[in-house]
């Protein structure tokens, strides 16, 4: 089930770019980050109501015990979204091709050095194959050299975004067996929403929101982004205890394949040999990881 949850998360997150396109004509990156967290919290509260699940009696005491990891995960995720949104707004749309590999490398090293998980050469090769496939799909033959020449600062922001996203996953891992999944995500995203809201207060106080008239697509994008964030990370947290830690970002990388399918189905994009080769590399690497794991 852990792998099923991760593939479901990848499927949901593959619509993230579509949501940004719907929201960005009306709101900037900082607002988009805040909406993701705030609406995500609302969907998690709705999930608790549907499941008729109350906060556990030891919620406050447990939250105090893991407060450091909760704040660490909240700050890391806020910075991850803020840096990625800013870089995408000021640079090429394909600039975040380095974000997922940066997260994968960070979590792979964390799984080996922090949790002493074994990573034999065959698995390492398969991970590199998956990462190479995702990069090939995202690149799709476009001039990567122009990306690095335009603004090296933006490249650094994308890498920082990947590392911070990995820190959030690490925080989820550290509190997974001590706190209820919904409650931990609710707390982290509530803290993230507060952090995201603080820089917006002066802007809102000056009346910047007075003339904003979001259309139906923008509102739908905000709601969808909140659902993806809240429910997606709930499923992600459920999956983390069920699979090897280094497999989390590998499976999440399949969102690139899903995004490719949406481009073909909805926008009639052409399939290049970069996409075919990248998809093949990713699937071979993923199968190699699974076969190796079943034999251990």
């Amino acid at each position: 089930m852990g792998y099923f949850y991760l593939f479901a998360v990848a499927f949901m997150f593959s619509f993230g770019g579509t949501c940004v396109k719907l929201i960005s004509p009306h709101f900037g990156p900082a607002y988009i980050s805040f909406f993701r967290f705030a609406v995500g919290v609302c969907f998690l509260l709705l999930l608790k109501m549907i499941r008729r699940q109350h906060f556990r009696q030891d919620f406050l005491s447990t939250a105090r015990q893991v407060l450091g990891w909760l704040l660490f995960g909240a700050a890391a995720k806020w910075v991850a979204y803020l840096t990625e949104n800013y870089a995408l707004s000021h640079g090429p749309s394909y600039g975040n091709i380095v974000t997922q590999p940066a997260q994968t490398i960070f979590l792979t090293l964390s799984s080996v050095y922090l949790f002493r998980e074994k990573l034999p050469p065959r698995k390492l090769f398969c991970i590199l194959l998956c990462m190479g496939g995702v990069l090939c799909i995202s690149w799709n033959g476009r001039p990567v050299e122009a990306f690095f020449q335009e603004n090296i600062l933006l490249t650094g922001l994308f890498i920082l975004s990947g590392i911070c996203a990995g820190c959030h996953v690490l925080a989820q891992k550290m509190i997974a067996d001590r706190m209820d999944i919904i409650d931990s995500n609710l707390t982290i995203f509530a803290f993230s929403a507060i952090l995201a809201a603080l820089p917006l207060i002066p802007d809102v106080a000056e009346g910047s929101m007075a003339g904003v008239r979001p259309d139906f697509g923008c509102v739908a994008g905000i709601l969808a982004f909140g659902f993806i964030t809240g429910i997606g990370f709930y499923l992600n947290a459920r999956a983390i205890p069920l699979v090897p830690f280094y497999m989390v970002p590998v499976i999440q990388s399949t969102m690139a394949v899903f995004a490719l399918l949406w481009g073909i189905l909805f926008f009639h994009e052409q399939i290049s040999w970069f996409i075919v080769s990248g998809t093949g590399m990713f699937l071979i690497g993923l199968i190699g990881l699974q076969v190796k794991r079943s034999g251990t």
Side-chain angles (χ1 to χ4, degrees):
M1 288 299 295
Y3 289 98
F4 172 77
Y5 292 147
L6 289 176
F7 276 113
V9 171
F11 176 81
M12 294 168 63
F13 273 60
S14 67
F15 292 100
T18 302
C19 294
V20 171
K21 287 183 178 297
L22 292 173
I23 304 171
S24 57
H26 304 276
F27 298 101
Y31 286 94
I32 294 175
S33 300
F34 169 73
F35 290 143
R36 288 195 70 171
F37 293 125
V39 180
V41 167
C42 294
F43 274 109
L44 286 172
L45 288 172
L46 180 62
L47 179 62
K48 283 182 71 72
M49 292 177 57
I50 293 174
R51 298 184 59 179
R52 298 181 179 179
Q53 176 181 329
H54 300 284
F55 286 98
R56 298 192 324 193
Q57 293 183 350
D58 63 344
F59 169 74
L60 291 178
S61 60
T62 304
R64 282 194 294 266
Q65 294 173 7
V66 296
L67 182 60
W69 284 111
L70 292 172
L71 293 174
F72 175 74
K77 199 59 184 175
W78 170 55
V79 174
Y81 282 158
L82 191 62
T83 51
E84 183 177 12
N85 289 334
Y86 179 88
L88 283 172
S89 300
H90 294 79
S93 60
Y94 57 92
N96 58 350
I97 62 174
V98 300
T99 300
Q100 191 66 36
Q103 177 183 345
T104 301
I105 293 172
F106 174 82
L107 291 181
T108 299
L109 295 176
S110 298
S111 69
V112 174
Y113 291 106
L114 296 180
F115 308 114
R116 299 293 186 262
E117 294 183 356
K118 295 181 180 180
L119 189 64
R122 180 177 174 181
K123 284 187 176 180
L124 179 59
F125 173 76
C126 290
I127 288 176
L128 293 175
L129 199 61
C130 290
M131 290 168 55
V134 172
L135 282 172
C136 195
I137 292 172
S138 303
W139 173 26
N140 195 20
R142 289 171 287 194
V144 177
E145 64 277 2
F147 163 66
F148 289 101
Q149 292 172 359
E150 285 179 2
N151 197 334
I152 194 65
L153 173 61
L154 298 182
T155 306
L157 289 176
F158 283 125
I159 295 175
L160 177 60
S161 176
I163 294 174
C164 290
C167 289
H168 169 252
V169 176
L170 176 62
Q172 286 185 309
K173 171 74 172 179
M174 299 304 295
I175 63 178
D177 58 348
R178 304 180 63 182
M179 198 172 185
D180 177 76
I181 295 174
I182 300 180
D183 293 345
S184 64
N185 277 276
L186 260 174
T187 308
I188 288 178
F189 288 143
F191 283 141
S192 296
I194 294 172
L195 291 173
L198 290 176
L200 301 178
I201 294 176
D203 193 47
V204 174
E206 293 177 357
S208 62
M209 298 285 290
V212 178
R213 297 291 185 271
D215 56 18
F216 175 80
C218 177
V219 174
I222 291 174
L223 293 175
F225 227 176
F227 176 83
I228 290 170
T229 302
I231 306 302
F233 278 106
Y234 162 71
L235 295 177
N236 193 69
R238 290 197 62 178
I240 287 175
L242 304 178
V243 300
F245 191 46
Y246 58 80
M247 284 298 296
V248 175
V250 174
I251 304 298
Q252 287 178 344
S253 297
T254 58
M255 70 179 68
V257 179
F258 288 124
L260 164 66
L261 292 177
W262 311 148
I264 296 172
L265 293 175
F266 303 132
F267 303 109
H268 308 292
E269 295 180 354
Q270 298 297 318
I271 302 178
S272 69
W273 71 269
F274 288 94
I275 293 176
V276 175
S277 301
T279 303
M281 289 170 61
F282 184 89
L283 293 177
I284 291 172
L286 193 61
I287 292 172
L289 282 167
Q290 186 68 11
V291 169
K292 181 64 176 177
R293 180 175 182 269
S294 63
T296 56

